[in-house]
Amino acid sequence: MKNKFTLFQAKKLLEEGEITSLELVEDCLSAIEKYNEDINAFVSLNKIVREKAKNSPKPTPERPLSGIPIAVKDNFLTKGIRTTASSKVLDDYIPQYSATVVTRLENAGAIVIGKTNMDAWAHGSSTETSDYGPTKNPWNLKYLPGGSSGGSAAAVASDMAIAAIGSETAGSVRGPAAWCGIVGLKPTYGRVSRYGVIAMGSSLDCPGPMTKDVQDAAILLEVLAGKDPYDATTSPKAGEAYSSLIAQDIKGLKIGIAQDYLLPTMAKEVIESVKTAAAVFERLGAKVEYVKTLSPAYAIGVYTVIQRSEVSSNLSRYDGVRYGNGRAFFAEEAKRRIILGTFSLSSGYQDKYYKKAQRVRTLFIEDFEKIFKNFDLLIGPTLPGAALKLGATKGEAMFGEMADVLAEPSSIAGLPGISVPCGFVGGLPIGLDIIGPQFSEARLLKAAFAYQGSTDWHTKRPKL
Amino acid sequence: MKNYRPVIGLEVHVELSTSSKMFCSCPAEHFSKKPNTQTCPVCLGLPGALPVPNEKAIESTILFGLAMGCRINRESKFDRKHYFYPDLPKGYQISQYDQPLCYEGKFGSVGIRRIHIEEDTGKLVHTTVSGKRVTLVDFNRSGVPLVELVTEPDFDNVEAVVAFLRQVQRIVRYLGISTADMEKGSMRLEANISVSKDSSLPSYKVELKNINSFRFLKKALLTELSRQERILTRGGKVDQETRGWNEAKGETFSQRSKEEAQDYRYFPEPDIPPMVIGEKEIERLKGILPELPEVKRKRYEEEFNLPDNYIEVLVGDTQRAGYFEEAVRQGRKAGISERQIAGFVVNKSLDRQFPEPAGLVKKILELGKEEYSSSTEIENAVGRTLKENSKAADDFKAGKSEVIGFLIGQTQKVLKGRGKPEEIRIILLERLNKN
């Protein structure tokens, strides 16, 4: 089944004429037909995907993704293809323009196979708050895939797409990648354009690749990274040729184990997996030692307040006047966040909540700067445990923030992180998070690639 | 206004005439354009759209601030101002809150509290469609750059307000950053009006809106001041509120209560990095500031011997003033007076006909030749003058030679100034000496 190939493998076979794009697409579509009803990874499918595949020539250096079917999270606007952010407010919204990420993918020849399910408005870490039903974890349909990019993670884990795009505000790419046993890269804030991504936390949102292995993530990042004149927060720093930088050795790389990320409440397998990973890095020539960081627990309040404040502002355009349905279509979680965010910004409370949160945010930025003077990378678990059962989020208003505690410090500091599969707990995957300073994606990918070369967690696939 | 002193502060909005809108590349010129034909995801507030600031607009705002004597904030930023209204697509306006581009200025005796840049909203049009009364929204204006100038409440008379506004209009036109046309809406005014019995600031203020022309500005302000004085004289209290000016009825009317300030939940715009304005940039902008109207007026009064109304017209248009000065420079070589040039420019608008000042000078020389009176005309004029001024003629003959000046002047009057002074003198003397 050709849908099981990685992006790198599929690309090579297409280049050599061994397979055609249509064959690739057909195999993905039959996987979707077989499994999507149970897994519910997709909200919409691209109606003209076969035509696109038929008209796709072989990949070239100018169009490196030609003919490759990629799933895109449903908060990325795709011109002419329904885009909902998994909310009934946008149930029948068909965008008049595409996100820069989508344009870059299509200019590189990629085919958008469909739009994936997510927590509505990206408000969550489980994909359980989607207005179109939860996505299930392909490893065990009774379990959650993580969120908010759960649909993208599940689509890749079950080979319904060759690769996928997600977005992370704090944990929404790395989290589901860990729970679904795939690779998830959250780039530096400002590395990849947010233009055309339905805004959640404007100072936090990062589009990122979700792939079967590290090499695929590097290939996608290379296409996506770079300054966008339509996004004033993108960095003027040019992107790098990441796919040609990953094979460099990591001898002498200084890696810190974030000891404050190893929580006593965690499953011992999680802590063990990090120690094992540290040993792998040492064998590869890196210098590994424990390092103290500002406790991630402090990041929860900071993240919650800043994110909800920005959310309450970003959702005010959905008034039903120019597009979409009216505000009555907002579900509970969205309403909760709007109310809390409005409160944090309101007169008399802004100083105490929003401004204070921003100041503590600076403390995290400074803490990381201090650490990265002596270390090249940090490692820790991506999440405190493996996937939780469906229904775990019911009645837990702070579920997301608690689950994402380990991703929040790097997210609020705008730093890049990559989650790679590193083991299993009770038959469910867990991930190792590798964090670096701003714009250190090449270093991140290099370390992740080296780790992948010494392990085989990333090759495991769920039995569907 | 016998017992009460007016206390007036102004909020002036000026639409910049940049080519693009403030945060997107849609055209900013929207007057009379077909509705919703100049929009894009950004100014429509579509999902996922992001603002990218217009550098020219920021530059124009700083220039305006420099012209108004303001200090320029070395670190400035945009903020989101939240409120719901159908003409505000994002549900917030991108404006500036606590770090405006310009602050603490002084223009004459008027304190300028701040000058900042923000985006304009769309326009609501109330109409009837298929028999139903509806309100339509046109987003062509949404996102157009708007400069807001706020003064201290330093005005204590209406004339000063009108004069100040005319100066602001002139400066903005001088800088070439806006047409500042009140009738077209590219300059809008709100006045904060109260009255005080003593030197203290009153505890209330009334915001007067919807003043759409200079013509009614004075009347609107005076009407409101009288209204407040009447209430206070009766022992009542003036409500803090927003009032509109009704041109037809010639009175102000209550629009909404300003008792509680709305909470706009301002916070820094996360989609736009803060701006750092360096010394070099400020020096560069100071360097391109043109000579401002008041400075030019004083200079013209000293340098050129022209009637006030001529100066007023020339100073009112920076291009015409420049043209005039160049024409004067060239005219000096040809012996043409600045008064003549001013006359042709102001009265006959010959600067329109001759785009190059050199051309105008040439034309004036030609006209000069044609327009001098002929010898016959002078003879006739002299004859008439001597007849009408026989006493003066007798005085001259009696030895009062200085009377000749008077007689030349009188002759010149008859000739409507077209006589060559030397020729008149010669012919006069001939006649006088004949008899």
Side-chain angles (χ1 to χ4, degrees):
Chain A
M1 288 294 283
K2 302 180 178 77
N3 57 317
K4 294 197 190 282
F5 292 133
T6 65
L7 197 160
F8 177 72
Q9 290 166 338
K11 185 168 127 78
K12 202 144 186 288
L13 293 165
L14 285 167
E15 280 163 5
E16 290 162 0
E18 296 285 332
I19 61 172
T20 66
S21 169
L22 188 59
E23 287 166 356
L24 211 48
V25 164
E26 286 292 2
D27 284 358
C28 286
L29 287 174
S30 41
I32 292 173
E33 209 180 316
K34 263 209 217 110
Y35 307 116
N36 194 51
E37 196 164 326
D38 287 332
I39 293 179
N40 195 29
F42 286 92
V43 178
S44 312
L45 291 174
N46 186 353
K47 297 189 177 81
I48 58 169
V49 66
R50 285 186 176 92
E51 283 93 289
K52 292 246 160 183
K54 284 189 203 133
N55 294 326
S56 288
K58 294 181 184 167
T60 61
E62 293 79 41
R63 288 172 64 91
L65 304 176
S66 184
I68 308 239
I70 296 186
V72 173
K73 187 176 179 184
D74 209 15
N75 60 344
F76 285 76
L77 264 65
T78 40
K79 184 173 176 179
I81 304 176
R82 177 178 175 236
T83 300
T84 68
S86 286
S87 166
K88 291 279 169 72
V89 171
L90 294 177
D91 188 40
D92 50 10
Y93 177 64
I94 312 237
Q96 297 111 308
Y97 78 103
S98 282
T100 297
V101 161
V102 173
T103 306
R104 280 183 177 234
L105 287 171
E106 291 184 332
N107 286 345
I111 302 170
V112 174
I113 191 167
K115 308 300 293 299
T116 58
N117 200 18
M118 50 187 281
D119 285 293
W121 306 104
H123 296 169
S125 310
S126 62
T127 313
E128 203 161 29
T129 57
S130 164
D131 285 2
Y132 299 98
T135 298
K136 325 284 178 36
N137 194 318
W139 291 85
N140 186 327
L141 297 177
K142 293 200 177 72
Y143 284 75
L144 297 165
S148 58
S149 312
S152 281
V156 172
S158 56
D159 295 307
M160 289 191 223
I162 301 300
I165 301 292
S167 69
E168 172 158 340
T169 307
S172 290
V173 160
R174 292 177 281 177
W179 280 6
C180 291
I182 64 165
V183 171
L185 168 65
K186 174 211 165 298
T188 308
Y189 176 84
R191 178 74 288 178
V192 178
S193 170
R194 291 181 298 120
Y195 185 69
V197 183
I198 295 175
M200 183 203 180
S202 307
S203 71
L204 298 154
D205 294 341
C206 296
M210 300 180 73
T211 55
K212 300 183 189 182
D213 68 16
V214 175
Q215 192 160 17
D216 288 358
I219 295 171
L220 281 181
L221 183 65
E222 204 167 313
V223 170
L224 300 180
K227 178 150 186 69
D228 183 10
Y230 286 94
D231 178 351
T233 60
T234 49
S235 169
K237 270 175 125 84
E240 298 174 82
Y242 302 104
S243 58
S244 39
L245 298 171
I246 53 176
Q248 297 173 353
D249 77 61
I250 61 166
K251 284 201 184 62
L253 206 63
K254 288 181 281 180
I255 300 180
I257 305 172
Q259 67 188 54
D260 297 87
Y261 287 38
L262 300 171
L263 310 170
T265 46
M266 281 174 176
K268 58 171 167 49
E269 291 99 320
V270 173
I271 299 179
E272 277 313 306
S273 72
V274 175
K275 291 190 176 147
T276 309
V280 169
F281 283 120
E282 270 179 329
R283 271 204 310 277
L284 291 165
K287 284 196 174 44
V288 188
E289 55 182 89
Y290 284 93
V291 63
K292 227 186 153 346
T293 68
L294 202 51
S295 170
Y298 295 126
I300 298 177
V302 172
Y303 171 67
T304 303
V305 167
I306 294 174
Q307 177 242 85
R308 278 153 171 73
S309 300
E310 292 177 356
V311 159
S312 70
S313 176
N314 287 326
L315 292 184
S316 34
R317 65 185 65 190
Y318 300 96
D319 52 21
V321 172
R322 287 147 291 126
Y323 50 82
N325 297 310
R327 298 193 211 274
F329 286 73
F330 276 124
E332 250 191 54
E333 184 59 31
K335 285 191 203 160
R336 211 177 277 137
R337 296 196 184 202
I338 291 170
I339 291 173
L340 200 141
T342 305
F343 174 80
S344 311
L345 288 175
S346 61
S347 166
Y349 297 101
Q350 208 192 89
D351 279 338
K352 186 172 173 185
Y353 294 108
Y354 178 78
K355 290 201 174 133
K356 187 137 195 198
Q358 289 284 35
R359 284 192 211 109
V360 179
R361 183 180 196 171
T362 305
L363 294 179
F364 274 95
I365 295 173
E366 289 171 351
D367 188 51
F368 278 115
E369 275 173 2
K370 193 180 56 157
I371 290 167
F372 286 123
K373 279 201 173 79
N374 302 315
F375 289 89
D376 297 312
L377 295 170
L378 274 183
I379 57 172
T382 303
L383 286 159
L388 296 175
K389 272 215 174 116
L390 277 164
T393 64
K394 297 275 184 278
E396 294 287 334
M398 287 291 282
F399 173 84
E401 279 64 31
M402 300 304 288
D404 290 328
V405 61
L406 301 178
E408 281 153 19
S410 49
S411 292
I412 62 180
L415 303 181
I418 187 169
S419 177
V420 290
C422 69
F424 286 85
V425 177
L428 293 165
I430 53 173
L432 176 79
D433 193 15
I434 309 173
I435 299 164
Q438 284 194 327
F439 303 108
S440 62
E441 285 86 356
R443 190 187 306 167
L444 237 56
L445 288 160
K446 182 170 80 171
F449 189 67
Y451 172 81
Q452 191 183 268
S454 288
T455 60
D456 66 353
W457 302 115
H458 61 284
T459 62
K460 310 277 187 243
R461 284 278 170 275
K463 255 205 286 285
L464 297 170
Chain B
M1 292 284 300
K2 302 172 195 93
N3 305 315
Y4 290 91
R5 174 181 67 89
V7 178
I8 303 175
L10 298 177
E11 260 177 51
V12 185
H13 280 93
V14 168
E15 251 180 38
L16 293 183
S17 51
T18 47
S19 1
S20 312
K21 291 186 180 181
M22 187 63 215
F23 297 111
C24 64
S25 50
C26 289
E29 174 51 64
H30 61 91
F31 189 71
S32 292
K33 296 282 195 284
K34 197 153 173 261
N36 293 314
T37 51
Q38 296 184 171
T39 59
C40 74
V42 179
C43 53
L44 276 178
L46 293 191
L50 294 174
V52 181
N54 181 329
E55 270 185 54
K56 192 91 215 288
I58 293 169
E59 216 180 75
S60 301
T61 307
I62 297 175
L63 278 175
F64 185 33
L66 290 171
M68 300 300 288
C70 290
R71 303 173 67 170
I72 308 299
N73 240 320
R74 294 303 189 266
E75 282 176 18
S76 184
K77 62 175 166 67
F78 289 99
D79 298 283
R80 293 188 183 179
K81 178 181 182 182
H82 300 84
Y83 64 93
F84 171 75
Y85 209 64
D87 66 6
L88 192 63
K90 298 187 292 298
Y92 59 84
Q93 179 196 33
I94 302 179
S95 177
Q96 295 195 286
Y97 180 51
D98 55 342
Q99 283 175 256
L101 282 167
C102 320
Y103 67 108
E104 263 177 44
K106 202 135 172 80
F107 192 74
S109 59
V110 179
I112 308 293
R113 183 172 294 174
R114 53 185 284 145
I115 299 178
H116 74 253
I117 184 90
E118 58 187 27
E119 54 175 347
D120 209 345
T121 63
K123 235 196 246 195
L124 294 185
V125 177
H126 308 288
T127 183
T128 311
V129 172
S130 309
K132 258 179 72 180
R133 302 211 55 188
V134 295
T135 301
L136 306 174
V137 199
D138 174 13
F139 290 101
N140 283 349
R141 198 182 69 181
S142 166
V144 169
L146 210 55
V147 171
E148 179 175 321
L149 179 153
V150 182
T151 73
E152 298 295 345
D154 286 347
F155 296 96
D156 61 8
N157 71 84
V158 172
E159 283 73 26
V161 171
V162 179
F164 175 80
L165 282 168
R166 286 216 181 276
Q167 288 183 313
V168 166
Q169 188 182 53
R170 182 165 296 162
I171 285 177
V172 152
R173 288 176 179 175
Y174 247 62
L175 295 173
I177 62 178
S178 172
T179 54
D181 201 322
M182 274 182 96
E183 281 75 15
K184 282 196 181 153
S186 52
M187 180 159 119
R188 298 168 222 163
L189 170 71
E190 275 157 37
N192 289 311
I193 304 171
S194 26
V195 296
S196 173
K197 244 201 155 123
D198 50 41
S199 57
S200 64
L201 259 182
S203 57
Y204 73 94
K205 65 178 184 214
V206 170
E207 189 184 39
L208 188 58
K209 287 179 121 120
N210 199 40
I211 305 166
N212 292 332
S213 67
F214 271 106
R215 245 194 325 149
F216 292 105
L217 170 60
K218 195 164 168 183
K219 186 149 191 271
L221 294 174
L222 287 171
T223 305
E224 177 56 23
L225 287 164
S226 302
R227 186 190 75 90
Q228 292 188 15
E229 199 191 0
R230 273 201 310 277
I231 295 175
L232 292 174
T233 308
R234 259 189 274 122
K237 216 177 91 147
V238 179
D239 289 332
Q240 172 125 327
E241 59 178 351
T242 300
R243 295 180 76 83
W245 165 247
N246 186 321
E247 251 169 44
K249 288 196 183 153
E251 59 186 36
T252 65
F253 60 97
S254 180
Q255 282 191 318
R256 63 170 183 268
S257 178
K258 242 200 162 198
E259 208 57 69
E260 259 174 54
Q262 189 170 352
D263 182 7
Y264 293 115
R265 302 193 304 284
Y266 285 103
F267 78 99
E269 171 57 80
D271 290 330
I272 305 174
M275 302 171 267
V276 172
I277 299 155
E279 280 313 312
K280 264 208 192 132
E281 179 62 13
I282 303 211
E283 284 313 306
R284 181 184 75 85
L285 290 171
K286 280 191 182 152
I288 65 175
L289 260 186
E291 182 187 39
L292 294 173
E294 275 318 295
V295 178
K296 196 187 288 293
R297 179 204 303 282
K298 280 203 178 63
R299 182 166 67 83
Y300 276 24
E301 281 166 7
E302 284 160 31
E303 265 185 47
F304 305 117
N305 182 19
L306 293 172
D308 280 345
N309 59 328
Y310 277 24
I311 293 185
E312 199 58 38
V313 173
L314 290 170
V315 164
D317 184 330
T318 182
Q319 268 171 309
R320 276 186 120 189
Y323 179 101
F324 166 73
E325 289 182 52
E326 180 56 32
V328 164
R329 252 190 296 281
Q330 300 201 12
R332 280 209 185 105
K333 300 184 203 143
I336 302 176
S337 75
E338 53 218 27
R339 207 165 225 210
Q340 272 183 291
I341 295 179
F344 280 109
V345 170
V346 173
N347 295 333
K348 303 203 178 173
S349 295
L350 281 189
D351 52 324
R352 311 255 152 110
Q353 238 186 303
F354 298 97
E356 289 302 316
L360 174 66
V361 169
K362 192 157 169 265
K363 180 72 179 173
I364 295 176
L365 285 173
E366 281 173 24
L367 287 173
K369 294 198 185 82
E370 295 165 21
E371 290 211 357
Y372 278 132
S373 311
S374 66
S375 303
T376 319
E377 286 174 304
I378 296 181
E379 302 261 357
N380 294 339
V382 163
R384 187 167 137 195
T385 304
L386 291 176
K387 219 194 256 175
E388 289 170 6
N389 298 277
S390 42
K391 180 175 188 303
D394 290 339
D395 284 344
F396 179 83
K397 287 180 214 163
K400 280 209 180 132
S401 55
E402 67 271 19
V403 174
I404 194 73
F406 169 74
L407 290 168
I408 292 174
Q410 292 301 101
T411 310
Q412 191 68 288
K413 253 203 198 139
V414 175
L415 292 169
K416 294 204 191 347
R418 279 166 34 243
K420 283 219 189 84
E422 258 321 294
E423 214 182 324
I424 298 175
R425 172 191 283 272
I426 292 168
I427 296 177
L428 260 174
L429 288 172
E430 256 183 42
R431 286 284 194 87
L432 287 164
N433 291 328
K434 231 197 245 175
N435 302 16

